[in-house]
Amino acid sequence: MTQLKVSQQAQQYVQDHAELYLGYAQALHRSSVDVTRRIEFAILSANESFDKAVLVWDAMGRDKAGRIETVMHEHGMGLTKMKGAAIRYHRARPHIVPYPDEAGSYRWYRRRRIGAHPGLANSKLSFATSLIDPLGSDIVCLDTHMVRGITGTRPDSSWYKSLARYEQVEGAVRAVAGLSEVPLFAAQWALWDYYRGSEPNPHSHLIEGAQ
């Protein structure tokens, strides 16, 4: 496969904002938000705008009656049946969380254990892992903006089924992290914002109790 590279402009953005995004990742690392809630946000964010995912995640956290699908319906979120089942599954099994191998890598987990996480395919399992271990995760959540920005092609649902193709693009993000000397999640976080054309987003809804 041809080696992919992030554009010089995108690389420069990450380098110019490296300290900012490193700080975001460190704050998330210190956050007291529990693992299950982090996984839930990854599930809710699938095929949904970031802002709506935050809105539903907040509402779900306030709901004490376990009305998961109802809360999603009330806010106009799609895929409620699939997401609801996935969230209930993980709430009932809080012990099932991604973990690294002896070398500290999560790549093996994504390859072999993805079936243990309903509602989380390659991209969103990578997102959940990064939210759980923002300073140590070595796998990337590739959204459509990032894939299109790096490859020049907008991916369809079938694109994400090829882990080899996914890891090729992931390698380009990994190279940016190395050049910028930041954890991989900090680099992908910066690239998310760059390719979406948005202001830096600290994901403050996930930062709770961080000092």
Side-chain angles (χ1 to χ4, degrees), residues 86-156:
I87 288 172
R88 292 183 189 283
Y89 176 92
H90 286 93
R91 285 186 179 181
R93 299 166 180 81
H95 58 287
I96 300 181
V97 297
Y99 59 90
D101 61 17
E102 292 180 356
S105 175
Y106 289 91
R107 289 189 231 181
W108 79 274
Y109 192 96
R110 186 175 60 191
R111 292 191 190 110
R112 300 180 186 178
R113 294 279 295 160
I114 195 165
H117 296 275
L120 298 173
N122 290 326
S123 180
K124 293 307 176 181
L125 179 60
S126 301
F127 188 27
T129 302
S130 296
L131 293 178
I132 293 166
D133 187 5
L135 300 181
S137 175
D138 63 339
I139 53 179
V140 175
C141 173
L142 296 172
D143 69 358
T144 56
H145 300 282
M146 289 179 67
V147 176
R148 181 172 54 188
I150 294 172
T151 68
T153 302
R154 182 180 177 84
D156 58 18

Side-chain angles (χ1 to χ4, degrees), residues 1-2 4-6 140 142-143 146-151 159 163-175 191:
M1 289 186 177
T2 303
L4 295 173
K5 293 183 179 180
V6 169
V140 175
L142 296 172
D143 69 358
M146 289 179 67
V147 176
R148 181 172 54 188
I150 294 172
T151 68
W159 186 93
L163 186 56
R165 186 164 45 197
Y166 190 99
E167 290 183 337
Q168 183 188 23
V169 179
E170 185 176 65
V173 180
R174 188 172 288 111
L191 288 172

Side-chain angles (χ1 to χ4, degrees), residues 7-29:
S7 69
Q8 183 59 44
Q9 293 88 342
Q11 170 70 59
Q12 193 61 53
Y13 178 87
V14 178
Q15 290 179 322
D16 290 345
H17 297 81
E19 186 173 344
L20 176 66
Y21 286 95
L22 174 60
Y24 289 168
Q26 290 171 333
L28 181 57
H29 175 73

